[in-house]
Amino acid sequence: MSKAAQLQAVRDQLEKDLPHLPLGNINEPTVPGDGSADAELMFIGEAPGYYESVQRKPFVGRSGQLFVNTLAEVGHPRETVYITNIVKVRPPENRDPTPQEILAYKPYLDREIEILCPLLIVTLGRFSMGKFLPEVKISQVHGRVHRVNWQGKPLYILPMYHPAAALRNPQTKTAFVQDFQKIPKILEWIKGRADVDQLEKGLKEAFL
Ligand code: URA
């Protein structure tokens, strides 16, 4: 089965499971992951908001526009990447997702990661960062690449501020844009990963 077909199967399963999931009975639709099935770059946000729920597409509201425009400016138009959330239904009044909700929607996100096998995962905000880097503070690690062991395989994680935080605070916005500007260089390093020691040294010198 192609990657696109496998991702569609995840969406179909999510839709089927919705009545049994937390947030499944509040009359909000699922907002599945969106983008290229061949993406090298995967972005994980928090949960859909109002506009995402209406359009059933992640990051189409105000913070989504900042995110997508910043991404395009560093050479990655939206349709070339894959964008998803840890929780796939809008929580009431856009409140933070609960640990129980994050856990319930985890299998769908895990499948998306397994299918895509992205070169780099960018986490947007502290909730998605917490999936891979539970013990850290976003203010201390944003914009720095971390290599983590995920289900026995190495994954490269780049934690970033959430675009909604960037919209609220000009300093955070500066950091947000600067972190995005590192993406092309980081991808270059990861692609040249024949020599892992060299990669680590390079990443350290460049970013850590
Ligand atoms: N914020 C998120 O974390 N995800 C979205 O899809 C929209 C806003």
Side-chain angles (χ1 to χ4, degrees), residues 28 32 43 53 91 112 120 139 141 159 161 172 188:
E28 293 278 354
F43 291 84
S53 203
E112 288 174 294
L120 179 65
S139 56
V141 299
Y161 284 117
T172 308
E188 252 175 53

Side-chain angles (χ1 to χ4, degrees), residues 84-105:
T84 194
N85 283 303
I86 36 176
V87 167
K88 321 269 190 215
V89 176
R90 179 191 178 209
E93 285 150 39
N94 297 342
R95 64 153 169 73
D96 289 346
T98 66
Q100 186 218 7
E101 288 159 2
I102 293 173
L103 191 65
Y105 286 89

Side-chain angles (χ1 to χ4, degrees), residues 45-49 52 57-59 63 85 162:
E46 210 170 286
E52 287 75 23
K57 193 169 166 174
F59 285 103
S63 67
N85 283 303
H162 194 282

